[in-house]
Amino acid sequence: MFSKKFDQDFVNKLLKQKEGKTLDFKQKITSKEKIAKTISGMANTEGGIILIGTSDKNVITGIDPEEERYMIESANEEFCLPRASLSIQEVKLNENDLLKEEKSVLIVEVRPTLGPLVYVQVKSGEPKAYQRVNDQTLAI
């Protein structure tokens, strides 16, 4: 479904696209429950990519890759039923060749579910399944 060569060129191609059914930009993960909804939505639709470390305006902000990887993995473990199939890869980007500034982003590939829907165990109430419609994650 996607290129397996996750590098600076791949990230630059993603940044030229708009958020949609299979692409979501996140500056950082602030809520495990919220990112679990995005994971559920992508898994229950066509799969997709969550690019962490970029603003909605397609600007690379950079992240602490270990912290964001922990947030994604623990959101999947704690909130997704069953767990979604994810692939997480860090890409280091050189923003300015003169200063040798390096910023990291995470590419989270969410594979479409082949079995039952992926539900999110929300804090208040019954588990809910989500889907992606354009650039939104909506309850099914």
Side-chain angles (χ1 to χ4, degrees), residues 100-137:
K100 300 290 185 215
E101 275 186 63
E102 194 171 73
K103 292 184 180 178
S104 292
V105 296
L106 280 188
I107 298 173
V108 181
E109 182 180 6
V110 182
R111 294 182 190 91
T113 182
L114 300 175
L117 291 176
V118 175
Y119 286 81
V120 175
Q121 179 60 60
V122 291
K123 290 177 183 167
S124 57
E126 294 293 313
K128 290 183 184 174
Y130 292 85
Q131 65 183 349
R132 290 286 288 185
V133 178
N134 299 317
D135 63 348
Q136 296 184 313
T137 302

Side-chain angles (χ1 to χ4, degrees), residues 18-72:
K18 291 184 177 181
E19 286 185 309
K21 189 189 303 188
T22 60
L23 180 62
D24 198 17
F25 298 123
K26 298 286 184 199
Q27 199 157 347
K28 65 183 287 182
I29 307 304
T30 56
S31 163
K32 292 179 191 179
E33 188 174 323
K34 282 184 184 177
I35 197 64
K37 290 176 183 179
T38 301
I39 292 168
S40 167
M42 285 187 170
N44 293 332
T45 310
E46 296 174 20
I49 289 182
I50 305 168
L51 184 60
I52 304 169
T54 58
S55 72
D56 287 340
K57 304 269 188 253
N58 301 26
V59 175
I60 296 168
T61 56
I63 44 106
D64 174 343
E66 293 307 312
E67 181 178 328
E68 300 304 316
R69 180 183 298 270
Y70 167 78
M71 291 293 283
I72 285 285

Side-chain angles (χ1 to χ4, degrees), residues 79-94:
F79 289 94
C80 294
L81 303 168
R83 288 187 194 137
S85 176
L86 304 177
S87 169
I88 304 171
Q89 184 162 341
E90 176 186 0
V91 177
K92 294 182 181 185
L93 307 168
N94 293 314

